[in-house]
Amino acid sequence: MQVFFIHGVATKDADYSKRLQHLLREEFLKQDKPLPHFYGSFWGAAMNEKGKIWNWVHQDLRELKKHYPQTQTKDIFRYQEFREDFISDFFGDVLTYFNTERGKDIREIIAEQLRRFLQGSSQEDLHIIAHSLGTVVLWDVLFSDRFAADDPAYAIRSLIRASASSENASKLRLESITTMGSPILFFNMMLDIQPEKVKAFASQCQPHELRWINLIHASDIIAYPLQAAINAKLMPHFFFRDKYIWADGNPAEKAARTFGQAHAAMGIGVSDAHSSYWRSCGVARLITANLLNDRSEIDSAKIDTE
């Protein structure tokens, strides 16, 4: 079993998936199953514009202070830490990916790393786990018609679709996809990928039914369900589930909600909620069920803690 990770925004450390890998190994050991082979793809180094942007912002704020010495810039330009860390990380990385050349560079990195991971392997099944912007990249790569003929997206499709299109069909098949904290629902307003594309892709995975679970933390305002949007219930050869994680992003969020401070709770919890999938035991249990094709566990699982 080969498990390939695709990270999302604000990821500058290639070890981002190590904690989740550890939790998954623990789940496999509990069930006395052979351990998977993991590969955490990393393309975060291609995202390097944020520092330049914030140098400009701070320069403008210094100029403002010179002209109005009594002004507190933290009051005029509020929530600077949140803007710089979460907001600009998310939107900055998203816009960088959709830049024609930068996006192509990112897909080239992912294609090469996937090729390296699969090269020479005797394992038959491939599983992909993606987070945040990584889910949008995966969605784009698998289904979009917007690419030039030489785009690395086609190399990725060729690797993933080897089970349906080559004489090496017995050597590799895409068994499952797990998306975590996914904003695909909104980005598809721009990409305009129709459900028929997903249906056609799932049909190519025959005779094995493609499995896909989409994990949504209760406090993650970046994450949204997909089942209705892609007409998943009507698709043959496709097992799809949206799964909700009923939890708080952190204790401070829980406290704010307890005292009826909903907007404060959202601001306090959203960043931690969006990153929580990588360290959640409940998430690891659901992903393990998806990897092992334990559909009864997927359907019965109710996660109300991390």
Side-chain angles (χ1 to χ4, degrees):
M1 179 182 292
Q2 301 168 108
V3 180
F4 188 79
F5 294 92
I6 305 176
H7 68 74
V9 298
T11 304
K12 309 305 179 190
D13 184 349
D15 290 336
Y16 65 92
S17 65
K18 292 296 186 183
R19 175 58 180 164
L20 183 54
Q21 290 183 29
H22 173 74
L23 294 172
L24 290 171
R25 287 191 184 97
E26 287 187 337
E27 291 296 324
F28 272 73
L29 289 171
K30 287 178 187 176
Q31 300 188 41
D32 196 26
K33 300 292 185 181
L35 295 178
H37 298 283
F38 296 115
Y39 191 104
S41 68
F42 180 66
W43 44 268
M47 303 293 198
N48 56 15
E49 293 297 314
K50 176 187 163 187
K52 182 190 297 185
I53 289 171
W54 280 95
N55 284 342
W56 291 332
V57 170
H58 291 306
Q59 181 179 333
D60 287 334
L61 292 176
R62 284 196 301 270
E63 288 297 315
L64 177 67
K65 186 71 172 177
K66 287 179 184 177
H67 287 88
Y68 303 97
Q70 304 305 316
T71 299
Q72 296 295 321
T73 56
K74 65 180 181 181
D75 291 331
I76 295 295
F77 191 71
R78 295 174 181 168
Y79 318 122
Q80 290 182 32
E81 184 176 345
F82 186 72
R83 290 176 191 250
E84 187 167 354
D85 288 345
F86 185 73
I87 298 297
S88 67
D89 276 341
F90 185 81
F91 289 105
D93 285 1
V94 165
L95 294 173
T96 299
Y97 173 73
F98 283 102
N99 173 283
T100 302
E101 291 305 315
R102 285 292 183 84
K104 186 175 180 180
D105 289 344
I106 291 166
R107 291 187 293 277
E108 179 61 46
I109 292 169
I110 294 172
E112 177 56 32
Q113 292 179 352
L114 180 60
R115 185 182 300 112
R116 193 180 308 150
F117 179 47
L118 299 177
Q119 189 173 23
S121 174
S122 61
Q123 301 293 313
E124 294 182 351
D125 53 334
L126 172 65
H127 306 260
I128 299 176
I129 300 173
H131 175 247
S132 185
L133 176 59
T135 72
V136 178
V137 174
L138 180 63
W139 177 262
D140 192 27
V141 163
L142 293 184
F143 308 122
S144 183
D145 291 328
R146 70 185 185 91
F147 302 119
D150 63 344
D151 196 276
Y154 296 110
I156 297 172
R157 292 180 193 182
S158 178
L159 289 165
I160 290 175
R161 291 178 175 177
S163 59
S165 59
S166 80
E167 61 185 15
N168 295 322
S170 62
K171 296 291 182 65
L172 174 68
R173 59 179 179 267
L174 178 63
E175 291 274 0
S176 79
I177 293 171
T178 300
T179 47
M180 310 182 296
S182 176
I184 287 173
L185 184 68
F186 283 94
F187 280 94
N188 202 45
M189 296 175 69
M190 173 177 61
L191 294 170
D192 195 28
I193 293 165
Q194 298 301 309
E196 288 73 20
K197 292 278 187 166
V198 183
K199 181 179 179 180
F201 181 83
S203 69
Q204 292 184 5
C205 296
Q206 295 183 58
H208 303 279
E209 191 174 48
L210 178 64
R211 306 185 301 278
W212 183 335
I213 61 171
N214 181 45
L215 305 182
I216 306 155
H217 189 290
S219 297
D220 182 4
I221 63 172
I222 304 300
Y224 295 88
L226 281 172
Q227 182 165 283
I230 63 175
N231 293 333
K233 284 187 174 182
L234 302 179
M235 291 187 188
H237 321 297
F238 192 38
F239 175 86
F240 182 93
R241 296 291 187 272
D242 290 312
K243 298 299 294 185
Y244 296 87
I245 302 165
W246 187 17
D248 292 293
N250 52 47
E253 182 203 357
K254 183 176 182 179
R257 285 197 309 105
T258 300
F259 288 101
Q261 302 297 314
H263 289 89
M266 179 187 70
I268 292 168
V270 60
S271 181
D272 285 343
H274 190 59
S275 63
S276 67
Y277 307 91
W278 297 111
R279 57 183 181 272
S280 168
C281 294
V283 164
R285 288 193 298 273
L286 267 175
I287 294 177
T288 298
N290 197 28
L291 297 177
L292 294 175
N293 196 15
D294 187 348
R295 303 186 188 195
S296 61
E297 174 63 21
I298 292 172
D299 283 335
S300 64
K302 176 179 178 295
I303 299 181
D304 54 7
T305 66
E306 290 208 5

